[in-house]
Amino acid sequence: MMDIAILGNPNTGKTSLFNQLTHSYEYVGNWSGVTVEKKVGKLRAATGNLIDLPGLYTLSPLTKDEKVASTFLLEGKFDGMINIIDSSQLERNLHLTVQLLEYGKPMMIGLNMMDVAKRNGLAIHIHQLSQQLGVPIKPMIARKGKGCEQLDAEKMKAPSFHLQYDDIIEEAIQQCESQMPAKMKHTRWIALQYLEGNEVVQQYLQQYVSLTWLEAWMKDTEKNVKIKHNIALNKLIYRTRETYIEELLKENMITSLLKHKASSETIDRVVTNRILGIPIFLFVMYVMFQFTFDWLGVPISDLVDGLISGPVTSGVEAGLQWIGANAFFQSLFIDGIIAGVGGVLVFVPQIFILFLFISFIEDSGYMARVAMVMDRLLEKFGLNGKAFIPMIIGFGCNVPGIMASRSMEQEQERHLTTMLTPFMSCSARLAVYSLFTAIFFTSHQALIVLSLYVMGIVVALIVAKILSITKYKNEKSLFVIELPPYRIPYAKTLYRSTWEKGKGFVRKAGTIILAGTIVIWLLSYVGPQGFHVPIQESFMAYVGKSIAPLLSPLGFDTWQAGAALITGFLAKEMVVSTLYVLYLVPNTEALHVVIGQQYTALQSYSFMVFFLLYVPCLATVATLKNELPNTRSMLFSIALSFAIAYVLALCVYQIGRLLGF
């Protein structure tokens, strides 16, 4: 059984290759840090595992996710490596390749995006390049699955690669190797990485070699390099590799004399324009919401609602009567499970349409442009454009959004982005927006939902500004992002990406929401006086009534609203399920009538504003606890969200009343 690791720069197609070679599918995107932890899948063609490691430019880690790769090379158990390279960006990609060759493990190179290289007028002497590097090189187009089958683990070869560095560095490597334990492997690579400043390697080696000796050795080497070359040690190592790569490409790559005009540059002049960039992004979001609601999502959701409230409910009811189920179980299934879970499933088509658009934006190459456009704005608020990527991912789900913040280079900026991401309106909130906008804002659903998404972004920016000059100050921002070429996503890729994002929503409906709905129904069925009490006298009513006075200044003081917001902490979709159960309605149309009688348009908008911001769901809270430095920071984040939600909803309702709405 062989375990093979995939390593490469971001945007080279590592995860696409992973999908082709295994039965698994992993999240694919167009920015640094999409794979924030190692992913493992079973190889199709052989016995063994394929391990997808984070995208990185160098083995000296700058970000949290890049440390995963260096740690894996030091401590992981694997048999070989596939280094996947973007053939249209050979010079940049080969810096990592050289470091992997120095590592010495059996490997092969997947020369990906050969179609892009050809369009750019590049011709590569693959056989000659393979001979010079000492490992097999296979051309491929991973997104189309072409050439992937040639990456056979049996053909991997341990390289006999040796790049000669300056005499001072070579002598230092020998000195360090002499201090290492006899059984230690990859000693030359470890010494080089230590000299280059790889923190993971430095911490590792200090377990085996005296720290006093290492510090003196490092100091002497840096001093000698400075005297001889007047340059920093790590820069001399980098320059040596750079010179080698330049010579390698002169011998093995031909650039067409015909000038190739990249269409990406033409499009970028418009979509990344200083003036037009943000309006174009807002227009894209508006179109996305028009499809999600008015043009496509609502009609499909209405069909699903008719199916659940009609044939499904009637069939279950008839089946329960046929088996002689008592009133308790009939109410549990009809008023509890079908009403609650079915009420959430009604919105599944809209959720999937939203995920389809997000997948399209990612795979088309536009996502990185949005980050670039937003960098100018975010810079004024103490962040950089890369922080906007976790926020956009947060539109789908806050949890992977927070995880994507690991690609941020600076620690404080990463923590700040982590705290801001829950302000983004995730897909689970969409069910509540769809419910209220369909009742009160029929002709302007997309516009109202867009206003909520923009409000989340604006709140995040204001909080970022305040925290960047108080809690997270005195750290210089660093923004480096690669702009991949534009491309039309393949239908198969969009399908798989959309399904992977959306299936979690469906799975949640069958697990957390199902269990939660049963508990909510039971609490609404039972009260201090016993079973089958009027719902106004149930335990759920008492819980809702206890917090209703707190919500009264915000315009929604019904006990049902209070109870629904409490269950929303478990999962945001639970708010809709709770309302179905507590209002005892059989379908969405009946729920619309009840809510339309109890709320006004202003009250409903205030409710949506509060719901957007009030507290993250339980899964997001758990992720915050893992990603923030301590529990106090996590509690501060939750308290801040609630305070902002309360103040904003209060302003919306009270100012709206003064204006006569």
Side-chain angles (χ1 to χ4, degrees), residues 60 236 238 283 299 306 364 382 437 502 507 577:
S60 296
L236 179 60
Y238 178 85
F283 176 75
S364 66
T437 55
R507 187 188 300 120
S577 299

Side-chain angles (χ1 to χ4, degrees), residues 569-607:
F569 172 67
L570 298 176
K572 297 303 179 185
E573 305 94 328
M574 289 291 295
V575 170
V576 174
S577 299
T578 304
L579 292 175
Y580 267 92
V581 173
L582 299 185
Y583 281 120
L584 300 174
V585 291
N587 54 43
T588 304
E589 184 179 351
L591 184 60
H592 285 187
V593 172
V594 175
I595 292 178
Q597 293 171 345
Q598 291 198 348
Y599 289 80
T600 65
L602 177 61
Q603 289 171 324
S604 72
Y605 192 73
S606 175
F607 182 87

Side-chain angles (χ1 to χ4, degrees), residues 245-293:
I245 291 168
E246 288 173 354
E247 292 298 321
L248 195 67
L249 294 182
K250 283 181 183 178
E251 298 175 18
N252 295 283
M253 189 169 72
I254 301 171
T255 304
S256 172
L257 296 177
L258 297 174
K259 291 186 177 180
H260 175 74
K261 185 67 174 179
S263 59
S264 293
E265 295 178 6
T266 306
I267 300 173
D268 281 342
R269 288 196 188 98
V270 179
V271 301
T272 64
N273 183 274
R274 185 177 294 273
I275 298 173
L276 298 176
I278 293 179
I280 288 173
F281 171 62
L282 293 176
F283 176 75
V284 169
M285 289 184 65
Y286 177 74
V287 171
M288 177 173 72
F289 293 131
Q290 280 288 83
F291 271 100
T292 303
F293 293 98

Side-chain angles (χ1 to χ4, degrees), residues 162-182:
H162 183 93
L163 178 59
Q164 187 70 22
Y165 290 89
D166 185 83
D167 291 343
I168 297 173
I169 295 176
E170 289 293 339
E171 184 179 350
I173 291 171
Q174 293 177 14
Q175 291 172 352
C176 188
E177 286 184 295
S178 67
Q179 298 293 316
M180 297 182 196

